[in-house]
């Protein structure tokens, strides 16, 4: 399958004519175009940088064939659209647009004791690629490609390095990078590399670029 990197946490996956998008949020300038091109949208949690509620609502109105998956905290606002939206939890499995999806995870990583932890799920796609949302949950099976958040109020370099070691992917691709300058991203890549803390290097994929995974 092909992975297209969009800004921040959003990626598109394309295979055999099917296309899904994960986490088109308000930090993704082309989110409207991303959603319009997708057969299905997968949302990890309801924070605005991962989930543009107004955009998704308009897309559901305009495209009856669009499918949206996410935690109940995301999709319950569209209770009348049960044919279009599906609430998912850990261990759920489904097929959409030719992709096999396994759901894992439960909660967003802690930010601060005064900030409640929202529901957060990760998506294992075709037993090859894992998008964790905002958490360091280990996927339910070994993966070739791990999408790794590198910035945000909850991320920590040490935990990220240990997470990569535990998952042990063949490829590590940066997401959730918008709070880092280019210098900051390159600094993270130096730490997350065989020369420092991890066996696999961090790939910094520019917005709009495509790789095969």
């Amino acid at each position: 399958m092909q992975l297209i990197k969009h800004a921040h946490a959003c990626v598109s996956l394309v295979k055999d004519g099917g296309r899904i998008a994960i986490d088109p949020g308000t930090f993704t300038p082309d989110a409207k175009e991303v959603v319009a091109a997708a057969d299905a949208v997968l949302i990890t949690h309801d924070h605005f940088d991962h989930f543009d509620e107004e955009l998704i609502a308009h897309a559901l109105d305009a495209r009856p064939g669009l499918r949206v998956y996410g935690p109940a905290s995301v999709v319950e606002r569209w209770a009348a659209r049960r044919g279009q939206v599906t609430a998912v939890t850990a261990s759920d499995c489904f097929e959409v647009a030719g992709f096999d999806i396994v759901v894992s995870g439960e909660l967003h990583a802690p930010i601060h004791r005064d900030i409640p932890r929202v529901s957060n799920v990760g998506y294992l796609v075709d037993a090859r690629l894992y998008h964790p949302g905002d958490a360091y949950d280990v996927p339910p099976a070994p993966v070739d490609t791990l999408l790794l958040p590198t910035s945000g109020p909850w991320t920590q370099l040490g935990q990220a390095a240990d997470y990569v070691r535990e998952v042990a992917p063949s490829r590590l691709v940066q997401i959730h990078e918008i709070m880092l300058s280019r210098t900051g991203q390159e600094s993270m890549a130096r730490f997350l590399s065989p020369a420092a803390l991890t066996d696999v290097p961090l790939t910094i994929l520019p917005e709009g670029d495509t790789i095969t995974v």
Side-chain angles (χ1 to χ4, degrees):
M1 61 182 154
Q2 302 296 304
L3 179 149
I4 305 169
K5 176 71 173 71
H6 305 287
H8 200 50
C10 182
V11 299
S12 294
L13 300 172
V14 182
K15 183 187 71 172
D16 298 334
R19 187 179 185 116
I20 61 175
I22 304 177
D23 280 2
T26 59
F27 285 177
T28 303
D30 62 343
K32 183 176 180 180
E33 292 76 19
V34 170
V35 172
D39 301 299
V41 176
L42 281 54
I43 305 295
T44 62
H45 64 288
D46 66 2
H47 287 170
F48 63 90
D49 56 326
H50 296 251
F51 170 51
D52 187 331
E53 179 177 355
E54 182 177 2
L55 171 62
I56 299 297
H58 285 317
L60 287 168
D61 284 339
R63 298 173 55 205
L66 179 65
R67 298 294 178 260
V68 176
Y69 299 82
S73 56
V74 170
V75 303
E76 65 189 3
R77 66 204 69 202
W78 299 305
R81 296 186 177 275
R82 292 304 181 196
Q84 286 182 277
V85 303
T86 302
V88 296
T89 60
S91 299
D92 284 350
C93 304
F94 60 93
E95 187 275 338
V96 63
F99 294 89
D100 292 316
I101 312 295
V102 179
V103 184
S104 68
E106 182 179 4
L107 292 173
H108 192 287
I111 299 174
H112 187 274
R113 63 180 177 273
D114 291 343
I115 299 177
R117 296 173 68 186
V118 301
S119 297
N120 179 98
V121 298
Y123 295 104
L124 176 61
V125 182
D126 281 354
R128 296 186 57 83
L129 176 144
Y130 186 66
H131 190 310
D134 281 3
Y136 294 129
D137 292 318
V138 176
V143 297
D144 291 320
T145 301
L146 174 65
L147 306 183
L148 181 73
T150 57
S151 76
W154 60 274
T155 59
Q156 296 183 36
L157 173 62
Q159 288 188 9
D162 288 341
Y163 179 54
V164 174
R165 290 178 178 182
E166 187 171 4
V167 177
S170 300
R171 173 183 278 170
L172 187 64
V173 176
Q174 171 181 251
I175 59 170
H176 213 272
E177 75 288 340
I178 206 163
M179 293 184 180
L180 292 177
S181 66
R182 180 67 187 188
T183 300
Q185 295 178 49
E186 291 171 352
S187 176
M188 288 293 291
R190 283 194 293 272
F191 281 109
L192 300 171
S193 73
L197 297 175
T198 61
D199 290 335
V200 59
L202 178 68
T203 298
I204 298 175
L205 192 62
E207 293 172 26
D209 276 17
T210 300
I211 58 173
T212 300
V213 296

